[in-house]
Amino acid sequence: MSTPAADQKPPEAVTLLLVRHGMTEETGPRLAGRAEGVHLNDTGRTQAAHLAGRLTGVVPAALISSPLERCWQTMEAVAEQLETKITVDERFIECDYGTWTGRDLTELATEPLWNVVQNHPSAVRFPEGEALAASSARALEAVRDWNTRLLQEGPSTPPVYVVCSHGDIIRAIVADALGMHLDMFQRLRVDPGSITSITYTRSRPFLNTLNDTGEHLATTLPTPAETQGEAVVGGGAGSSERTNGQT
């Protein structure tokens, strides 16, 4: 691992861009989970291409993907656009839904465990699968490892890195950044092909954008004040001020 030069200050913040993979034929009607062979459909490929265009101009310190095909395929378009290689981190894989994997959501909604998933997810362990709390913990461990690595490596310009993962994983990371209990993460919406941006300073995280499926990425990056750990007084101004001095 490299370290900043003696005359170069380490960065004071790092920004994580969380990307949910594009649409698949399983997205919506069934719980794909860790099933193999789930690929982007035509809509998902369009979303991936659109995502790559939106990220034009970003110089990522790393492009990271869940090992599942739908995430890798989403990131391929981004990697080609930004001319950056993809790194797989197993800790960003989807929750292991056990025997629920591949089943229709309408069918799962009749299971007694469904109401627990909706209202008390921190207590859920899927049959023959993983606990939602455990999937949250491993993903957060990965985020903190990457944050530490990038803050130590420099350069002094706050680095940006991109992670492509899954809806429940992204919501768990956002809930942690907001100081929300995991039981509240179902209130967060993360659509296929969306970008969620979090800046981690040395004092606190800032949620810049949640579930952004728009045309321009500028508002997902932090203001200079936010990279120093300072909250915007009064909730901040409009996008014209937020993008001042940003690329």
Side-chain angles (χ1 to χ4, degrees):
M1 179 183 298
S2 61
T3 57
D7 60 347
Q8 180 179 340
K9 292 183 178 179
E12 291 298 321
V14 58
T15 294
L16 166 60
L17 301 181
L18 287 163
V19 173
R20 186 180 175 192
H21 62 80
M23 286 284 291
T24 74
E25 293 303 321
E26 304 292 310
T27 308
R30 284 176 290 279
L31 189 64
R34 297 185 183 181
E36 296 182 357
V38 178
H39 300 281
L40 299 183
N41 59 15
D42 289 343
T43 299
R45 286 187 287 272
T46 298
Q47 289 171 329
H50 178 58
L51 178 69
R54 293 173 62 212
L55 290 170
T56 300
V58 174
V59 182
L63 288 182
I64 304 160
S65 177
S66 155
L68 295 178
E69 294 99 325
R70 55 194 185 272
C71 286
W72 181 268
Q73 289 173 339
T74 300
M75 290 299 276
E76 280 183 325
V78 175
E80 182 178 357
Q81 176 71 32
L82 302 183
E83 299 182 344
T84 304
K85 69 177 183 179
I86 304 170
T87 299
V88 171
D89 191 326
E90 298 276 348
R91 292 173 295 182
F92 290 114
I93 196 171
E94 179 67 282
C95 181
D96 182 357
Y97 297 116
T99 59
W100 279 30
T101 301
R103 293 177 61 186
D104 289 350
L105 292 180
T106 53
E107 178 188 355
L108 290 174
T110 66
E111 295 276 358
L113 186 61
W114 181 263
N115 285 332
V116 185
V117 172
Q118 297 304 311
N119 299 304
H120 192 19
S122 66
V124 170
R125 177 178 294 277
F126 292 97
E128 300 181 27
E130 186 178 24
L132 275 170
S135 67
S136 171
R138 61 168 163 78
L140 290 169
E141 177 188 50
V143 168
R144 287 166 184 144
D145 283 352
W146 281 100
N147 289 352
T148 298
R149 180 186 308 184
L150 294 174
L151 285 170
Q152 288 176 345
E153 288 180 352
S156 57
T157 301
V160 177
Y161 68 110
V162 184
V163 171
C164 186
S165 190
H166 309 269
D168 280 350
I169 300 299
I170 294 172
R171 290 190 293 180
I173 293 170
V174 172
D176 174 78
L178 293 175
M180 293 169 54
H181 195 282
L182 187 62
D183 285 344
M184 300 177 70
F185 93 142
Q186 298 287 24
R187 302 181 184 195
L188 303 171
R189 177 169 176 169
V190 179
D191 292 325
S194 65
I195 298 175
T196 292
S197 170
I198 304 170
T199 294
Y200 293 89
T201 73
R202 294 185 184 275
S203 58
R204 65 175 69 84
F206 290 89
L207 178 65
N208 304 312
T209 302
L210 174 67
N211 195 38
D212 182 1
T213 57
E215 296 295 328
H216 199 271
L217 185 65
T219 56
T220 72
L221 299 178
T223 65
E226 287 168 339
T227 67
Q228 301 300 317
E230 299 174 1
V232 180
V233 177
S239 59
S240 60
E241 286 194 26
R242 284 188 53 81
T243 60
N244 183 35
Q246 298 178 15
T247 57

